Amino acid sequence: RFLQELVAVRNAGRRKRLDEELPCLRPLPDRRRESFKRVSVRVGTGSLIRADRNTYSVPSRLIGEWVEVRLYVEHVEVWYAQQEAVRFPRLRGRQKHAINYRHIIDWLVRKPGAFENYVYREELFPTTRFRMAYDALRQAQPKRGHKEYLGILYLAARQSETAVDEALRTLLTNDQPITQAAVESMVQRAEAVSAVTEVTVEEVDLSSFDELFLHKEVWDGCEGGCDGEVDGLLAGAALADVSGVF
């Protein structure tokens, strides 16, 4: 009751202004306001979309389709057919891009000639070894180097980027020719090795514990297996070496 009286006293001088504002207030919405901005865009032929003046990649299966982009404060979601297709951290600023090579590799494999002049080509080298491999392929095979590299990148997207990167490291370190076939062979051999080491546990013979009772200092003549006392000391107990303590 004390708080009610205190609130009434504090609000007494505000009642007149509140009465003036009440006619201007609108009712609350039926549901919570959305914390993101919706934008409908069409996926371009390069598997790219433009949202908030920035470029994002989407899976190539969505080329030509209309998608809904939801722009949150920290991230961007791309929805298609009532399902989230992809998510990116939201880019800060303008005229920036976020390209995932896994989204566009299918399109590039079908049109390998587009790789040479691709605007976002630098985004298609997941690690420095991929870049080194591409340079080596271009030097060894000027006309087919980009096709070989796209084949290697396709392996990374469809199987394991880590395994492909390790295969490239081995080939580069040993100065061996880099080809799609060589990388694929090494990746397959790596996958053939079991990831978990098999452990065999031998069966334990519990009767072996009976041997522990064959070696005892004092047993017969003492009930309960207790040690006997000799001159106030426990049988079998050794005096502590205290020399040097004092």
Short mmCIF file of all heavy atoms in Angstrom, two decimals, residues 32 39 45 73 77 99 132 135 149 177 196 200 231:
data_model
loop_
_atom_site.label_atom_id
_atom_site.label_comp_id
_atom_site.label_asym_id
_atom_site.label_seq_id
_atom_site.Cartn_x
_atom_site.Cartn_y
_atom_site.Cartn_z
N ARG A 32 4.79 -9.55 -32.11
CA ARG A 32 6.07 -8.86 -31.95
C ARG A 32 6.61 -8.38 -33.29
O ARG A 32 6.52 -9.08 -34.29
CB ARG A 32 7.08 -9.80 -31.29
CG ARG A 32 8.45 -9.19 -31.05
CD ARG A 32 9.37 -10.20 -30.40
NE ARG A 32 10.71 -9.66 -30.22
CZ ARG A 32 11.73 -10.34 -29.70
NH1 ARG A 32 11.54 -11.60 -29.31
NH2 ARG A 32 12.92 -9.79 -29.56
N VAL A 39 13.85 -8.81 -47.88
CA VAL A 39 14.10 -8.35 -49.25
C VAL A 39 13.95 -9.54 -50.18
O VAL A 39 14.53 -10.61 -49.94
CB VAL A 39 15.52 -7.75 -49.40
CG1 VAL A 39 15.74 -7.28 -50.83
CG2 VAL A 39 15.72 -6.60 -48.43
N THR A 45 22.68 -15.60 -62.76
CA THR A 45 23.27 -16.77 -63.44
C THR A 45 24.57 -17.22 -62.80
O THR A 45 24.98 -18.36 -62.98
CB THR A 45 23.50 -16.44 -64.92
OG1 THR A 45 24.33 -15.27 -65.01
CG2 THR A 45 22.19 -16.19 -65.64
N VAL A 73 20.85 -7.85 -37.75
CA VAL A 73 21.93 -6.95 -37.37
C VAL A 73 23.29 -7.62 -37.56
O VAL A 73 24.23 -7.02 -38.07
CB VAL A 73 21.77 -6.48 -35.91
CG1 VAL A 73 22.96 -5.62 -35.49
CG2 VAL A 73 20.47 -5.70 -35.74
N GLU A 77 20.21 -14.21 -43.63
CA GLU A 77 19.63 -15.51 -43.97
C GLU A 77 18.99 -15.44 -45.35
O GLU A 77 18.34 -14.44 -45.69
CB GLU A 77 18.59 -15.92 -42.94
CG GLU A 77 19.14 -16.13 -41.53
CD GLU A 77 18.05 -16.45 -40.53
OE1 GLU A 77 16.86 -16.53 -40.93
OE2 GLU A 77 18.36 -16.61 -39.34
N ILE A 99 31.65 -14.94 -50.65
CA ILE A 99 31.53 -16.01 -51.65
C ILE A 99 32.00 -17.32 -51.03
O ILE A 99 33.10 -17.41 -50.48
CB ILE A 99 32.37 -15.70 -52.90
CG1 ILE A 99 32.07 -14.29 -53.42
CG2 ILE A 99 32.12 -16.75 -53.97
CD1 ILE A 99 30.64 -14.08 -53.84
N MET A 132 48.81 -22.23 -54.56
CA MET A 132 50.08 -22.75 -55.08
C MET A 132 49.83 -23.83 -56.11
O MET A 132 50.54 -23.90 -57.13
CB MET A 132 50.92 -23.27 -53.92
CG MET A 132 51.36 -22.20 -52.94
SD MET A 132 52.09 -22.88 -51.41
CE MET A 132 53.54 -23.71 -52.10
N ASP A 135 48.74 -22.17 -59.40
CA ASP A 135 49.88 -21.58 -60.10
C ASP A 135 50.74 -22.65 -60.76
O ASP A 135 51.23 -22.47 -61.90
CB ASP A 135 50.72 -20.76 -59.13
CG ASP A 135 49.98 -19.53 -58.62
OD1 ASP A 135 49.02 -19.10 -59.30
OD2 ASP A 135 50.35 -19.02 -57.54
N TYR A 149 42.33 -27.56 -62.02
CA TYR A 149 42.13 -26.97 -60.70
C TYR A 149 40.67 -27.03 -60.28
O TYR A 149 40.36 -27.31 -59.12
CB TYR A 149 42.62 -25.52 -60.67
CG TYR A 149 42.35 -24.88 -59.33
CD1 TYR A 149 43.13 -25.19 -58.23
CD2 TYR A 149 41.28 -24.00 -59.16
CE1 TYR A 149 42.87 -24.64 -56.99
CE2 TYR A 149 41.02 -23.44 -57.93
CZ TYR A 149 41.81 -23.76 -56.84
OH TYR A 149 41.53 -23.23 -55.61
N PRO A 177 54.06 -34.06 -59.79
CA PRO A 177 53.06 -33.41 -60.66
C PRO A 177 51.69 -33.37 -59.97
O PRO A 177 51.25 -34.35 -59.37
CB PRO A 177 53.03 -34.30 -61.90
CG PRO A 177 54.35 -35.02 -61.90
CD PRO A 177 54.70 -35.22 -60.45
N VAL A 196 39.10 -44.75 -36.40
CA VAL A 196 39.18 -45.20 -35.01
C VAL A 196 40.01 -46.48 -34.95
O VAL A 196 39.75 -47.43 -35.69
CB VAL A 196 37.77 -45.46 -34.44
CG1 VAL A 196 37.87 -45.92 -33.00
CG2 VAL A 196 36.91 -44.21 -34.57
N THR A 200 41.62 -54.57 -29.01
CA THR A 200 41.20 -55.90 -28.59
C THR A 200 41.52 -56.09 -27.12
O THR A 200 42.68 -55.96 -26.71
CB THR A 200 41.90 -56.99 -29.43
OG1 THR A 200 41.63 -56.77 -30.82
CG2 THR A 200 41.43 -58.37 -29.00
N ASP A 231 55.96 -57.15 20.91
CA ASP A 231 56.49 -56.05 21.72
C ASP A 231 55.78 -54.74 21.44
O ASP A 231 56.39 -53.68 21.30
CB ASP A 231 57.99 -55.88 21.46
CG ASP A 231 58.78 -57.10 21.93
OD1 ASP A 231 58.30 -57.80 22.85
OD2 ASP A 231 59.86 -57.34 21.37
#
